[in-house]
Amino acid sequence: MFKKPFQSKPQSALRESACRQLAHEAQSTFHEFTAQPGKLQTQKFVSHIGDKGDIISSSTDPLWIRTTLPNTSNMVLVPTVYTQWQHPRMLPILWTWPVVIEKLVGGADLMTAGLVVPPGGLPVVTKGSLVAVCAHGEMAARAVGVMDVDTREIREVVGAKGKAVRVVHTYKDWLWEAGSKDEPPEIPVDSVEEARVADVEKSADGEDTTDAVDTTDAVDTAMENLSVQDAAAESETAATTHVTPAEMDALLMTSLKQVMATVLDEKHTGEQLPIAASTLFSTYMLPNAPRNAELDVKKSSYKKLAKFLKAMEKHGLLGLKDIRGEMHIKSLNWTHADLRTYTPYSVKHVVKAEQAPVVEKTQKGNMIELEELLRVPPALRPLFDDVNGNPESGYMTRQQARYVLEAYIKRHNLVDTRNPRNIRVDHLVCDGLLTKDETAKLTFYPRDKLQQRLQERMILCTRLTVPGNPPVVRQGRPPTIDIVCEKKMGNKVVTRVMGLEVYGVDPASLAKELRVACASSTSVDPVPGKKTVSVLVQGHQVKIMTRLLNDRGVPTDLLKVTDKSGKAKK
């Protein structure tokens, strides 16, 4: 969850009552946890894969994470390694080999084949429970995760397939970096654990030849599984895992000069200035970073984007202007000595769907998320292929589509020299964006209208993320949940809701809750001609039904209400 940099909001002090409540929750949840409440701070975070939650910290270290875990829908309190080091027996402990620990720190999950099984067997831990993962013979956790399987189902580890623990947080990840960066302490092993360690080491030293061979096979199998699973992850993170502030400063300046020399050059920038500082960084600098480099202002000496840009203004590369409280770049100095001696490098513009902004976000946890994405139609694929703009995932955002078209215009020098607002249309632009009549009559086309035509020709898709389920991409706009209020025989009013299954809402559970909330009878019936069911409740219950669906994470925008009753709402 924290193997890459995460976004976070500023810390705020936790009230004393909330601190006491947190201490009580931790004491009732975790074994042998006896700490007293103290002064704590909390901040919201969003990980690089979209996981959200709260980080609760002391003045020096992050102590707790409150987030949703795999296969769960509720927020769970998770201790960090800093907390586990202070209370080493608060979580069940699983052992693994030191070579496997290195893979976990790199972002891998713990495979079943990587477990060290003492002669007394693994501790009884059910699927979905939190565990601490330690190096063999140690008590200081190197990782905290959630069980992906019940330990009672693990008969042997040699040659076993599948994951045992889904890692949430590790020593040396970005959450650990946010603390004091202490090394794991030496924690005394109690007599029971000491005996288990001795038995395992005895087998590994060769007194039991069969066990020794099995142990070696287990390590080899675990390493093979981890290598296959995370070779790609390691190659992505290796370039920026150990970057000094001075190196990140250089990466930021190199990326800015690359943008000024290639994308926002003097010939093609024109009316795009002024540009918001956030737009410059996210839309231009990030995609044009040096190969395998991940820009992170927080890892630089500047710490904030505003400080970096002010330093660049002082250096003479650009000019800044404040517009309605937001920093903008008002000018770029293409005659600067740094740019005259700068040699641009090649950048492959690979669009990733993970970069798509969330269209629907709410403040409540566990909400269904909708992301508007675009897919390239067949007629536009030659144009996108020309600038390596076809995304590997098959989907992109509107801003990324605009960026690809601008890159194509720049590459083929299609800007009208007499009027930069007009673009000279070539055969790929005509085939993909213009009609037959326009192709026969026009030589130039307005840039803004060409971008608008591109947005219209792209195939609209929606990525739907229901908590607890993998994301699903559907073509078109997301389906709505229909709430219909109508009259029945005898002038009675009923409220019916349909289309719940798409968003993971259990019709039977909703009917039961409606029956209590509305004090009315309910029923669940199949919808004729469709593979779905409807929930019916007596009375005009639109307001209550909307509230219950919102509580289940369904945004109000997904609800389509039709009132055929002619009666006032309750």
Side-chain angles (χ1 to χ4, degrees), residues 304-317:
K304 293 183 179 180
L305 179 61
K307 289 186 177 180
F308 166 70
L309 294 177
K310 288 179 180 178
M312 295 301 99
E313 182 181 36
K314 187 175 181 180
H315 187 62
L317 278 173

Side-chain angles (χ1 to χ4, degrees), residues 390-456:
N390 269 320
E392 295 177 356
S393 64
Y395 304 97
M396 63 176 62
T397 65
R398 292 188 181 277
Q399 183 62 36
Q400 290 161 348
R402 291 179 60 88
Y403 181 81
V404 171
L405 181 56
E406 290 295 335
Y408 181 83
I409 293 171
K410 175 187 172 300
R411 178 172 182 176
H412 294 278
N413 196 23
L414 300 180
V415 179
D416 185 359
T417 56
R418 293 174 298 177
N419 185 359
R421 296 185 180 183
N422 291 334
I423 302 299
R424 178 170 52 84
V425 294
D426 62 3
H427 67 287
L428 292 184
V429 174
C430 291
D431 293 343
L433 298 176
L434 302 185
T435 64
K436 291 183 179 180
D437 292 341
E438 290 172 335
T439 301
K441 297 177 181 179
L442 300 178
T443 305
F444 294 94
Y445 202 80
R447 182 196 295 259
D448 56 346
K449 292 186 178 180
L450 198 64
Q451 287 286 5
Q452 183 180 353
R453 184 70 62 85
L454 174 69
Q455 302 292 326
E456 295 171 353

Side-chain angles (χ1 to χ4, degrees), residues 93-97 111-123 136 151 154-158 160 196-197 199-201 203 211 214-215 218:
I93 292 177
L94 295 182
W95 284 335
T96 189
W97 306 101
M111 310 299 287
T112 304
L115 293 172
V116 175
V117 182
L122 295 169
H136 175 226
T151 55
I154 301 176
R155 306 302 179 189
E156 58 180 20
V157 297
V158 178
R196 292 185 179 183
V197 173
D199 287 339
V200 175
E201 290 178 344
S203 298
D211 289 348
D214 289 348
T215 300

Side-chain angles (χ1 to χ4, degrees), residues 157-220:
V157 297
V158 178
K161 302 293 183 181
K163 296 179 182 179
V165 179
R166 292 184 182 269
V167 175
V168 176
H169 155 59
T170 68
Y171 154 73
K172 283 192 175 179
D173 67 5
W174 285 89
L175 183 61
W176 174 85
E177 289 269 358
S180 56
K181 303 181 185 179
D182 291 339
E183 295 296 316
E186 293 185 7
I187 301 174
V189 182
D190 60 28
S191 58
V192 177
E193 297 295 338
E194 208 166 49
R196 292 185 179 183
V197 173
D199 287 339
V200 175
E201 290 178 344
K202 183 178 179 181
S203 298
D205 288 338
E207 293 192 15
D208 189 333
T209 306
T210 303
D211 289 348
V213 174
D214 289 348
T215 300
T216 304
D217 290 344
V219 175
D220 292 342

